[in-house]
Amino acid sequence: MFDFVSRRKWFFLASGLVILIGIISLIASGLNLGIEFSSGTTMTLVFKDEVGEGALRDEFTSLDHPNASIQHSAKDAFLLDLELPMDPKERGKEKDQLAEDLQARFDTTIRIADFGADGNATSPAGDATSPVGNTTLALIFGETVDQSDLSDRLDDLGYSWGNIESTTLDSFLIRSETIYTDEQVEIEQALEEEFGLLDSLDVYSISPEVATERVQYTTYAVIAAAAGILLYIIWAFRKLVHPISYGACAIVALVHDALIVLGIFSLFKLEVNSMFIIALLTVIGYSVNNTIVVFDRIRENRRRDINADFASVVNVSLTETLARSLNTSLTTSFVLVALLLFGGATISAFVLALTIGVIVGTYSSLFIASPLLVSWERGELRRLFDWIPLRRGQG
Amino acid sequence: MNRGNVIRLAIIAVLFGLALSAVLARDYHVPGLGDRGQGNNTLGMRLGLDLSGGTHLVYKADLSQIGNETAADAVEGAMDIIELRVNEYGVSDPVIQKQGEDRISVQLPGIRESGEAVRVIGKTAQLDFRELTPESWQRVQDLSAQGLFPGYEFLTEQGEIEWIPATAIGSKGEEVHLTGEHLRRNTRVEFSRMTNQPEVHFELTSEGADLFAQITRRLINKPLGIFLDDAYVSSPIVRSEITGGSGVIENIGSLDDARALKVLLNAGALPVPLGEPIIREDIDPTLGADSIRKSLIAGVVGLVLVLAFMMLYYRLPGVLASGALLIYGVLVLAAFKLIPVTLTLAGIAAFILSVGMAVDANVLIFERLKEELRAGRTLGGAIEAGFNRAWVAIRDSNISTLITCLILWLMGRALAEPRVMGFALTLAIGIALSMFTAIFVTRTFLRLFVGTRLAGRLSLFGVARVEETSLSKEQQ
């Protein structure tokens, strides 16, 4: 039988070290807050012609956004000449249809940057119903696509396209203070005058007011979750001699798990958004879930033999529930790892937070929460506090 | 097989049949719940904006000029007008919702953020007609006499001339300001035969036509200013009194601008200014489709791994639990469709996660079952004891996750964030149904073997084999 209890100080030390590193990172560099919590605007600007990163930076400075972060990424794309309606509604529909048609064939994401008409919109006087114009679209695929495949596909679908050209486009990921709609129109016009045709994709914008509110509500939610779970644990263990000690140890375990996940996200500068908060709260729920199963067994075994040594009751209970603890986290890890490997980039940070949380949550219910109960019962915690020089000096 | 178990099996079969037909049917009517499943993918589920792609906008109404008692009406009125504007642009299935006191959330599936439709939705669009003050008119004439007249637009922007509301005597004898209120909702865009520029043609209501006639009679050979949201648009010179109640707005700019103006005038002005959207989000539709495909692959891989593990580790009970897990999957999908739950990427992740977590209850029970079998109980006794003892742990541990779900859901509602709400709701449904399948379905399946020859072969339950290893030095 593996002895969880007598080696507990080593486990506490290991966890303490990991948490310490995380806390140092949190203090030193904080969290990489997404614009959901820090406010601002992110978008991807795609230019038809070559644009220097420095020139674009200068342009943003002159447009009153000197702090905008600008990240260059060259994107492989196909320039496609196509006749499209000028009416925005019809035009949007045709582009969506094109994206959908191509997705059905190439099984990947397709971004369409619309560089607009080249100025020769055919619009008969007096008739504003259906002018069409020659347009250059940039098709940006998520995976490599062969040009002849693409032209064959367009022919199959019956598009009357003019020319296809493989190219590398200058694309920039912009993150700035909040840019509102009217200002965005101005910025796009200014950039178009300076650098030629462009399109903005994936615009995401949060006003400072909303961001402040989100931070506030999220803080409430985390506090409420911790309080709700604490009350629940105290209720669940109300018939035991020391319900507070069980509740406190479960809370220590969940704080342990939350700190490790936060520390890792801080250390690796992973973005913190509302999806991350979901993951964090789910991890908290999962951690408590695991801890409760073990504590339940401790409760049951203790009732069976009230005179047994508490440390060995805990150890027996951990051993008895070991298979369950490992198997449950294994099956949960199976699906999480599958999501991590195959689920795509959109949710990978979210799934990563969950995976770390599930592993750490299983560890903490075995090696932290339950051994901590023994420490509590033996009064080691009080002695630890007495040992802290500050306290002794005062007492 | 006893009668109770036959009834339970029948209940499971009926539930499974109903759930499966709900999942497979595309569109159908549920008595008491209404029509279900007008979704846009094969299973007929509703897709959230993060999967269908489109634009999400949230506006905050400026209620500072409006009394408390009319505030709610003003916000409702603004929502109606936004709906009219969106419909003019032909967006299918827009979702326009009020959030809290003063917020309006607009979801436009399949529309790009940069599109013209999005830029005009929040405009107040208060059109009004104005005339020059006598002093300003004098200034215009002086400048013209000197040959220095730079145009009305320039003078207006420089603040050198001042416009006042163009009013006339209305039907009730009072002075009325001619505004967009007096337009019929049938304005249209045409190209000018003279300049080939787009212009907006409008017609006035009967009262408006009367006001227009009085104003144009007074302003012959003078400019009539047309303003949109206090911004100068144009100022045609009145040549003669216009009694027919129709007119033209020129100098609008591009065709897109003209179309936008038409939409705004036909839908009417917002009763309350909305300002700029406080949240704007533009989601690529192909990204959503790609995410669904990838999540599906991940879900299948995860499910296969879980099933394989359960069957290899727990043997016969594992096979039964796998059957129960498949029933669980169908039940959850049916619940999603019937409630209905709007499917988001986070929701799909929650569903897949719940598959991994759903076996937890089974694992708890089977571990107990093994212990009871090792303690020498018969299969029947071990099943009942195992379920009864595991129940407390299952209940306690799931309640803690349900508390988290409740708090997440409340947080999602406060944030008006469908992703958070979707995740919480999906996970909660998953947990509730997983308890049901573990307690009811798996137990019923296991009972089938009580009293059969198989019940005596403990290796089928993973017991004999485990006892040979050192892991099983149990304290009795």
Side-chain angles (χ1 to χ4, degrees):
Chain A
M1 191 165 73
F2 186 82
D3 195 345
F4 295 89
V5 177
S6 64
R7 291 174 218 180
R8 60 185 176 279
K9 279 163 195 164
W10 291 107
F11 304 135
F12 296 162
L13 187 69
S15 283
L17 276 178
V18 174
I19 290 173
L20 187 69
I21 294 169
I23 288 178
I24 289 171
S25 169
L26 279 168
I27 292 170
S29 59
L31 288 165
N32 172 19
L33 291 184
I35 61 165
E36 253 182 274
F37 295 132
S38 67
S39 86
T41 298
T42 56
M43 61 179 132
T44 304
L45 292 178
V46 181
F47 291 90
K48 194 178 175 192
D49 304 316
E50 212 171 291
V51 172
E53 192 173 336
L56 187 65
R57 203 174 296 275
D58 292 345
E59 186 65 24
F60 265 91
T61 305
S62 70
L63 287 165
D64 284 341
H65 286 285
N67 299 326
S69 101
I70 294 170
Q71 212 179 315
H72 178 259
S73 74
K75 285 213 166 101
D76 288 330
F78 294 101
L79 290 180
L80 172 69
D81 289 342
L82 202 64
E83 204 161 75
L84 280 182
M86 300 306 292
D87 178 70
K89 175 177 104 193
E90 295 301 322
R91 194 184 181 84
K93 272 188 190 159
E94 295 227 353
K95 283 190 290 186
D96 284 349
Q97 188 62 47
L98 177 64
E100 203 177 299
D101 286 345
L102 292 175
Q103 183 163 47
R105 165 68 179 80
F106 295 107
D107 255 5
T108 181
T109 55
I110 298 123
R111 295 292 213 291
I112 299 186
D114 185 353
F115 295 129
D118 48 14
N120 305 324
T122 44
S123 48
D127 173 26
T129 46
S130 59
V132 290
N134 286 322
T135 304
T136 306
L137 298 179
L139 307 181
I140 305 164
F141 288 88
E143 285 158 31
T144 314
V145 163
D146 192 54
Q147 184 168 337
S148 57
D149 263 9
L150 176 60
S151 53
D152 288 351
R153 181 66 191 167
L154 288 168
D155 285 337
D156 290 349
L157 292 164
Y159 284 94
S160 56
W161 47 280
N163 184 36
I164 296 184
E165 190 187 328
S166 174
T167 182
T168 305
L169 287 175
D170 274 329
S171 148
F172 297 90
L173 182 67
I174 311 287
R175 178 172 171 170
S176 68
E177 305 100 82
T178 314
I179 294 173
Y180 293 100
T181 319
D182 286 349
E183 195 192 354
Q184 173 144 3
V185 175
E186 284 168 24
I187 289 178
E188 281 172 16
Q189 280 168 356
L191 293 176
E192 190 142 356
E193 272 169 35
E194 187 71 19
F195 303 110
L197 296 168
L198 82 152
D199 197 4
S200 50
L201 305 174
D202 306 330
V203 180
Y204 187 33
S205 183
I206 296 283
S207 76
E209 178 192 6
V210 172
T212 312
E213 189 183 88
R214 291 203 161 188
V215 171
Q216 194 185 345
Y217 283 140
T218 306
T219 312
Y220 292 161
V222 173
I223 293 170
I229 286 170
L230 176 66
L231 289 178
Y232 172 72
I233 293 168
I234 291 173
W235 177 82
F237 292 98
R238 68 197 178 285
K239 286 181 184 146
L240 287 174
V241 194
H242 299 298
I244 302 285
S245 65
Y246 284 86
C249 291
I251 292 285
V252 168
L254 76 84
V255 170
H256 164 274
D257 301 343
L259 280 178
I260 288 181
V261 175
L262 277 170
I264 289 176
F265 266 63
S266 167
L267 207 58
F268 295 98
K269 305 242 179 298
L270 297 167
E271 188 182 292
V272 170
N273 49 29
S274 63
M275 294 287 275
F276 172 79
I277 301 298
I278 296 179
L280 196 66
L281 290 188
T282 310
V283 163
I284 288 176
Y286 187 84
S287 160
V288 172
N289 177 323
N290 264 334
T291 309
I292 283 181
V293 171
V294 180
F295 283 8
D296 240 11
R297 188 58 76 101
I298 295 174
R299 168 169 73 179
E300 188 185 320
N301 285 342
R302 194 143 204 223
R303 202 182 297 146
R304 206 176 286 169
D305 183 1
I306 199 77
N307 295 319
D309 172 40
F310 189 61
S312 70
V313 168
V314 169
N315 221 18
V316 166
S317 306
L318 280 171
T319 311
E320 283 174 356
T321 52
L322 186 63
R324 176 267 162 190
S325 299
L326 293 180
N327 288 351
T328 297
S329 59
L330 260 182
T331 54
T332 311
S333 303
F334 284 157
V335 291
L336 285 173
V337 170
L339 271 174
L340 210 53
L341 293 179
F342 305 106
T346 323
I347 52 168
S348 59
F350 170 67
V351 178
L352 184 68
L354 283 173
T355 313
I356 296 169
V358 164
I359 293 167
V360 175
T362 308
Y363 167 83
S364 73
S365 62
L366 292 175
F367 296 94
I368 302 295
S370 307
L372 200 60
L373 267 181
V374 178
S375 294
W376 183 298
E377 190 96 353
R378 291 189 176 169
E380 285 169 14
L381 293 179
R382 207 177 49 235
R383 265 182 278 143
L384 183 70
F385 281 118
D386 287 346
W387 177 79
I388 295 171
L390 187 75
R391 290 263 319 214
R392 196 162 50 186
Q394 283 172 345
Chain B
M1 197 159 36
N2 66 34
R3 247 188 77 208
N5 220 32
V6 173
I7 295 172
R8 284 190 202 97
L9 267 181
I11 293 173
I12 292 168
V14 169
L15 267 179
F16 182 71
L18 284 175
L20 196 64
S21 58
V23 170
L24 295 178
R26 273 196 73 101
D27 301 309
Y28 51 92
H29 182 83
V30 186
L33 287 176
D35 291 319
R36 285 291 182 271
Q38 303 86 349
N40 41 2
N41 70 345
T42 41
L43 285 180
M45 285 198 235
R46 291 191 187 182
L47 296 185
L49 207 63
D50 62 339
L51 293 178
S52 68
T55 293
H56 180 213
L57 301 165
V58 178
Y59 292 94
K60 184 173 190 281
D62 177 8
L63 297 173
S64 57
Q65 309 296 320
I66 289 180
N68 275 336
E69 58 282 2
T70 51
D73 288 345
V75 175
E76 300 283 339
M79 288 168 65
D80 289 343
I81 286 170
I82 287 175
E83 189 160 3
L84 284 174
R85 290 178 181 179
V86 169
N87 288 341
E88 283 268 341
Y89 269 104
V91 177
S92 52
D93 309 321
V95 182
I96 299 163
Q97 286 167 325
K98 186 175 171 183
Q99 289 172 354
E101 292 291 296
D102 57 355
R103 303 216 175 151
I104 300 173
S105 152
V106 183
Q107 294 186 39
L108 306 171
I111 287 287
R112 285 282 315 280
E113 204 278 335
S114 54
E116 196 62 36
V118 171
R119 303 216 161 138
V120 302
I121 282 172
K123 294 263 182 270
T124 308
Q126 184 65 52
L127 183 87
D128 71 325
F129 295 89
R130 302 185 189 179
E131 59 186 285
L132 285 173
T133 59
E135 301 77 42
S136 293
W137 175 232
Q138 190 58 47
R139 173 138 177 78
V140 168
Q141 282 177 312
D142 290 350
L143 284 169
S144 300
Q146 296 161 25
L148 294 172
F149 179 61
Y152 290 103
E153 189 162 8
F154 181 81
L155 288 176
T156 307
E157 277 167 11
Q158 296 296 313
E160 300 211 4
I161 53 175
E162 195 189 339
W163 297 89
I164 53 171
T167 59
I169 305 303
S171 52
K172 293 183 190 123
E174 79 287 23
E175 205 167 349
V176 180
H177 180 191
L178 185 64
T179 67
E181 295 281 294
H182 300 105
L183 258 52
R184 287 187 200 275
R185 307 294 187 219
N186 63 351
T187 58
R188 63 194 188 278
V189 175
E190 287 186 11
F191 281 91
S192 161
R193 299 210 175 267
M194 309 271 287
T195 62
N196 204 25
Q197 290 299 309
E199 52 189 28
V200 172
H201 290 238
F202 64 84
E203 285 177 33
L204 292 157
T205 61
S206 57
E207 189 189 13
D210 185 39
L211 298 171
F212 200 49
Q214 295 178 51
I215 291 167
T216 48
R217 190 188 314 143
R218 191 171 71 228
L219 292 180
I220 286 175
N221 292 328
K222 288 186 189 171
L224 174 67
I226 301 175
F227 284 71
L228 187 68
D229 292 339
D230 288 326
Y232 174 93
V233 178
S234 66
S235 56
I237 306 296
V238 180
R239 295 299 168 204
S240 59
E241 178 187 347
I242 301 171
T243 52
S246 66
V248 176
I249 306 172
E250 305 162 309
N251 188 29
I252 295 163
S254 70
L255 180 61
D256 284 351
D257 297 334
R259 284 171 188 280
L261 183 59
K262 180 198 83 169
V263 169
L264 291 173
L265 293 180
N266 284 348
L270 293 178
V272 53
L274 293 183
E276 298 267 15
I278 51 178
I279 298 175
R280 290 193 285 147
E281 200 173 355
D282 175 21
I283 304 143
D284 176 40
T286 64
L287 191 64
D290 196 53
S291 300
I292 294 176
R293 192 174 55 86
K294 285 182 170 154
S295 310
L296 202 65
I297 295 172
V300 169
V301 171
L303 185 68
V304 167
L305 284 173
V306 170
L307 294 184
F309 175 81
M310 290 298 284
M311 288 193 262
L312 288 175
Y313 192 91
Y314 290 110
R315 307 300 175 93
L316 181 63
V319 174
L320 301 180
S322 300
L325 194 61
L326 293 178
I327 293 178
Y328 161 78
V330 173
L331 287 180
V332 172
L333 289 177
F336 287 178
K337 260 177 106 165
L338 291 173
I339 289 177
V341 175
T342 301
L343 217 54
T344 59
L345 197 50
I348 294 179
F351 174 51
I352 295 174
L353 181 66
S354 81
V355 170
M357 289 172 140
V359 292
D360 180 47
N362 282 310
V363 169
L364 276 166
I365 293 162
F366 295 161
E367 288 296 330
R368 278 286 178 169
L369 185 65
K370 275 189 187 177
E371 285 177 38
E372 302 296 336
L373 284 173
R374 280 189 205 117
R377 286 189 196 255
T378 63
L379 181 61
I383 290 173
E384 301 314 314
F387 273 83
N388 289 335
R389 291 199 173 162
W391 165 243
V392 179
I394 294 172
R395 181 199 63 195
D396 288 0
S397 64
N398 281 313
I399 286 178
S400 80
T401 312
L402 284 174
I403 291 175
T404 317
C405 287
L406 177 69
I407 287 160
L408 272 174
W409 191 82
L410 290 173
M411 168 182 143
R413 210 179 58 158
L415 290 178
E417 182 54 81
R419 274 174 282 227
V420 180
M421 291 172 78
F423 180 88
L425 187 59
T426 317
L427 194 59
I429 291 171
I431 286 165
L433 287 175
S434 82
M435 283 206 272
F436 168 78
T437 44
I439 301 296
F440 192 76
V441 180
T442 313
R443 184 195 272 202
T444 305
F445 284 176
L446 271 173
R447 278 179 178 151
L448 288 177
F449 293 88
V450 175
T452 65
R453 276 187 303 129
L454 292 173
R457 294 172 58 183
L458 290 184
S459 65
L460 278 175
F461 297 87
V463 169
R465 199 179 67 91
V466 171
E467 262 174 348
E468 289 159 10
T469 70
S470 60
L471 245 178
S472 59
K473 287 180 197 156
E474 291 288 328
Q475 302 225 340
Q476 292 298 327

